[in-house]
Amino acid sequence: MSNSLDSYLVLSGLLFAIGTFGFLARRNAISMLMSIELMLNAVNLTIIAFGAFVKPLHVHASVIALIVIAVAAAEATVGLAIVIAIYRNKKTPLVDEYDSMSQ
Amino acid sequence: MNWSDLGSLAPIIWAVLTAAAVLLVDIAAPGRRAPAIATALMGLAVTAAVVLSLAGHTETAFGGAYVVDGLTAFLDLLFVAIAALTIMFADDYLQPRGLPIAEFAAVLIFAITGAMLVAGSADLLLLFVALELMVLPGYLLAGYARNDPYSTEGAIKYFLLGSFSSAILLFGLAYVWGLTGSTRVDVVAAALAQAAAKGSIAPGLAMGLAFMTAGVAFKMAAVPFHYWTPDAYQGSPTPVTAYLSVGPKIGAFAVALRLFVAALGPLKADWLPIVIVLAALTMTLGNLVAITQDNVKRMLAYSSIAHTGYILVGLAAYAGGQHSGISAILFYGAAYTFMNMGAFAVITALQRRPGVTSQISTFAGLGRRSPWLGALMALFLLSLTGIPPLAGFWAKAYVIVAAIQAGGWLTALAVLAMLNAAAAAFYYLRVVVYMYMRDPAEDAPPLSPGLLFRVGLAVTGIATLVFGLFPAILNAASSAAGVLKG
C-alpha cells in the first residue's frame, strides 16, 4: 500500500482537502494565502505521483510541476502585494472586517 | 519550434511589445499621459492589423499546443477592442485621481495577452498558464487605486476567490492529465471518446472533470460560484470594472469553448444537465438580486452574472446538438462587450469628479444635464434589456433560438431565459426613469468628458446600434469563427 499510486493520490487529496478547509475556515488573509499554496502543492504532489508511477508520463510530470511552481510563485507575489495594500488602508488582515460594500 | 511557429504567435508578440513600449515611453517621459496612451493605442491597432492578416489561415504551432483558426482571430480582435476601449475610457477616471496611466495601460495589455493566448490554446497546461496570465494582471487592476479602501477590498476578494478557483481547476487538470495521458486537447478528447464508448468513465477522471468544471464556472462567475463578482466590480475603479465585466468573462468562455467543446465534446450528453442547471440558476439569481440594488455598478455586476447565464444557454444548446450554439455565444460576447462597456463608460463620465458615487441618485436628471450621455446610457440599457433593434436583442435571440432548436429540456431553459429578460427590464429601465423623470441635483456641475473618451463612447454606441440594425455583419463573423470540431 505504501508504494502505490493510489496511496499518493489519497495523500495529495487529503492535503488538498486540508488546504480547502483552511481557505474556507480561516479569517486571516495571510492564512488564506497559505491555504491556497497548500492546495497548489497538493496538486504538485498529484502530478509527481502520476509521473513516478505511470511510465509514459515520467518526463511531462516534472515540466508540469515546475510550471505550476512558477505560477504559484507569481500568484503569491500578487497576493502579498494586495494584502499589504489593504493592510495599509484597513489596519487589519482579517477578511471578515473587509465588509464596507456589503449591503 | 521554428520561425513559422513564431508567425502564428505574431499577434501575441505584438501585444507584448506594445506593453513593453508603453513602459519604455513612461521611462523616457515620466508622468506624461498622452505619449503613453498614444503608444498603447497605436500598438493595439498594429496588433489588430496583424490578427487580420492572419485571419483565414488555420494552422497549428508548437507541436499542436497552439492553434490559429477562425475562433482565435475573432476572440483576438474582440480582446484588442476591449483593451483599446478601456484605455480610451480610463484616463478620464484616473487623471483626476492622480493615478498614472502608463502602468495601467501596460498591465491591461499584459492581461489581454493572456486572454489572446487562451483563445488559441489547444493544450490543457497552456490553457491554465494563459488563464493565469489573464487573471493575475486583473487582480492588480482591481486594486489599482491603492489608497482607496474600496478598490483594495474588491481586489483582495477577487484575488482570494480567483486563486482558490485556479487551484481547483488545476487539481482537476492534474487528474485529467494523469488518467488520459496527455495535456493535448485532441488526445484527451480521443481518450474520453474511447471511455464513453465503453460506457464507463473512471471515477478519478469524472472527479477531475467535475473539478475543472467548477474552476471554469468560478472564472465566468456562474451561480453558485459568483460570490466575488459584486464586491470586485463595485470596488474596482470604474474603467477597470468595465474591463473586468467583459475581458475575463469572455476569456472564461474562451476556456469553456476550448475545454468543453474541443476536449470534452465526446461527453457532451453527460455535462449537458450540469450546464442547464448552471444556466438556469445563474440568470435567475443574477436578475433577482440585481433588482434590489441601488448602486448602479453593483447592479451591473449582478446583471453581468445574469448575462453569464444567457451565454451558458448557448453552451447548453451546443451540448444539446445545435452547433449554432457556439456562434450564438460569440455573437453574444461581442454584443455584450460594446453595450456593457458603453454603460460603464457613462458611469465613468459621471465619476470624473472624484468623490461622486455610483448610486442610482447620481443619474437623476442626466437626460437634461447632458442629453448625449443620457441618450447613450438609455441606448446601452435598452440593449442590455434586449429591446429590438439593438445588438442585445439579437444576442439573446440567437442564443434562445439555438436552445429551442435543440429541443427537450432546452426549450424550458429558453422559456426561462425569456422570462428573465422580461424581469431584467425592471432594473435597467429604473435607471432610465431616474435619468429622464427626476430633477438633477442643484449643484450638479456640467459634464465634460475628454476627446478620446467621446471617441470611445461613440464607437460603443455605434457598434450597439449597427450590430442591432444589421446583425448579419457580426453574425457572418461569429458563424465563421464558430466552426469548431468536437
Side-chain angles (χ1 to χ4, degrees):
Chain A
M1 177 69 187
S2 67
N3 200 20
S4 72
L5 175 60
D6 285 352
S7 52
Y8 280 93
L9 291 185
V10 168
L11 175 66
S12 66
L14 281 175
L15 273 177
F16 190 82
I18 293 171
T20 310
F21 176 78
F23 179 83
L24 298 173
R26 286 305 187 122
R27 301 164 60 223
N28 189 310
I30 304 277
S31 304
M32 293 172 84
L33 207 57
M34 286 161 65
S35 302
I36 292 171
E37 293 299 309
L38 189 60
M39 292 167 76
L40 289 173
N41 281 329
V43 174
N44 263 337
L45 188 60
T46 311
I47 292 167
I48 297 296
F50 273 121
F53 288 96
V54 186
K55 270 279 166 298
L57 302 181
H58 196 73
V59 183
H60 289 154
S62 14
V63 178
I64 297 177
L66 277 172
I67 290 177
V68 172
I69 290 170
V71 170
E75 215 167 62
T77 315
V78 171
L80 284 172
I82 294 175
V83 170
I84 290 172
I86 193 165
Y87 187 82
R88 283 189 184 143
N89 287 327
K90 301 252 178 187
K91 303 286 175 249
T92 171
L94 302 180
V95 289
D96 46 6
E97 293 179 25
Y98 302 159
D99 58 354
S100 51
M101 281 182 283
S102 51
Q103 293 180 341
Chain B
M1 197 197 88
N2 53 42
W3 288 108
S4 70
D5 284 353
L6 286 180
S8 347
L9 270 188
I12 294 176
I13 294 173
W14 266 109
V16 173
L17 288 178
T18 305
V22 172
L23 288 177
L24 285 177
V25 166
D26 193 47
I27 291 174
R32 297 272 306 280
R33 308 181 85 87
I37 297 174
T39 313
L41 290 180
M42 281 192 299
L44 286 171
V46 175
T47 310
V50 173
V51 174
L52 284 174
S53 76
L54 283 176
H57 287 258
T58 302
E59 55 193 35
T60 60
F62 299 99
Y66 185 82
V67 291
V68 179
D69 55 13
L71 180 65
T72 319
F74 185 89
L75 289 172
D76 280 358
L77 281 180
L78 197 53
F79 289 132
V80 169
I82 289 171
L85 286 172
T86 310
I87 292 171
M88 287 170 145
F89 297 142
D91 204 39
D92 266 38
Y93 186 93
L94 300 178
Q95 193 175 22
R97 287 165 179 76
L99 293 165
I101 184 81
E103 285 97 325
F104 181 91
V107 172
L108 179 74
I109 296 171
F110 279 129
I112 285 301
T113 315
M116 290 164 78
L117 200 54
V118 166
S121 293
D123 182 288
L124 296 183
L125 186 64
L126 181 63
L127 207 56
F128 174 74
V129 175
L131 190 68
E132 287 297 300
L133 180 57
M134 174 176 77
V135 293
L136 284 179
Y139 305 144
L140 294 175
L141 289 177
Y144 195 69
R146 62 176 189 277
N147 295 322
D148 173 5
Y150 288 108
S151 177
T152 44
E153 184 177 330
I156 192 140
K157 287 176 179 171
Y158 185 28
F159 167 77
L160 284 173
L161 288 173
S163 18
F164 181 62
S165 65
S166 294
I168 291 176
L169 177 71
L170 193 61
F171 192 64
L173 198 150
Y175 270 83
V176 171
W177 163 75
L179 295 172
T180 59
S182 176
T183 54
R184 285 284 187 281
V185 160
D186 47 348
V187 182
V188 171
L192 290 178
Q194 222 170 28
K198 274 191 297 184
S200 72
I201 301 163
L205 198 53
M207 191 187 80
L209 298 176
F211 272 91
M212 282 171 80
T213 310
V216 175
F218 252 115
K219 297 284 181 214
M220 57 173 72
V223 176
F225 307 105
H226 66 287
Y227 289 102
W228 55 272
T229 321
D231 282 348
Y233 284 18
Q234 187 190 341
S236 302
T238 309
V240 176
T241 315
Y243 162 70
L244 290 181
S245 67
V246 292
K249 188 179 292 286
I250 293 169
F253 275 97
V255 174
L257 288 177
R258 290 295 181 196
L259 187 67
F260 283 83
V261 174
L264 310 186
L267 300 178
K268 59 186 173 191
D270 295 287
W271 52 261
L272 171 62
I274 303 171
V275 177
I276 290 184
V277 171
L278 273 181
L281 279 178
T282 306
M283 57 194 177
T284 310
L285 196 123
N287 275 322
L288 285 182
V289 186
I291 289 175
T292 64
Q293 301 303 320
D294 283 329
N295 184 312
V296 177
K297 262 165 95 177
R298 204 172 174 86
M299 182 272 272
L300 283 176
Y302 280 107
S303 113
S304 91
I305 296 175
H307 283 279
T308 302
Y310 301 134
I311 306 179
L312 279 171
V313 174
L315 190 62
Y318 164 76
Q322 269 305 318
H323 214 281
S324 60
I326 296 177
S327 55
I329 292 175
L330 296 175
F331 188 102
Y332 207 116
Y336 180 68
T337 297
F338 291 107
M339 58 195 184
N340 207 47
M341 290 203 77
F344 276 111
V346 176
I347 305 179
T348 309
L350 280 169
Q351 291 190 306
R352 187 157 195 252
R353 201 159 46 92
V356 177
T357 64
S358 49
Q359 290 296 322
I360 192 165
S361 52
T362 315
F363 285 80
L366 181 65
R368 243 166 299 158
R369 271 174 78 193
S370 172
W372 273 104
L373 277 180
L376 279 169
M377 186 67 177
L379 176 82
F380 298 133
L381 289 171
L382 290 176
S383 179
L384 284 166
T385 317
I387 308 278
L390 298 169
F393 166 75
W394 294 104
K396 282 202 181 65
Y398 285 128
V399 168
I400 289 172
V401 166
I404 290 175
Q405 282 171 344
W409 278 102
L410 283 160
T411 317
L413 191 64
V415 172
L416 186 66
M418 285 186 253
L419 290 176
N420 263 298
F426 177 78
Y427 59 81
Y428 290 128
L429 297 183
R430 194 167 154 232
V431 180
V432 179
V433 168
Y434 264 81
M435 287 193 305
Y436 286 99
M437 310 203 173
R438 300 284 164 95
D439 291 324
E442 291 289 321
D443 56 341
L447 297 163
S448 52
L451 176 67
L452 203 56
F453 186 96
R454 286 164 203 242
V455 174
L457 201 58
V459 169
T460 53
I462 291 170
T464 308
L465 208 55
V466 167
F467 292 156
L469 292 172
F470 309 103
I473 304 171
L474 184 55
N475 197 33
S478 67
S479 303
V483 187
L484 276 180
K485 63 179 168 71

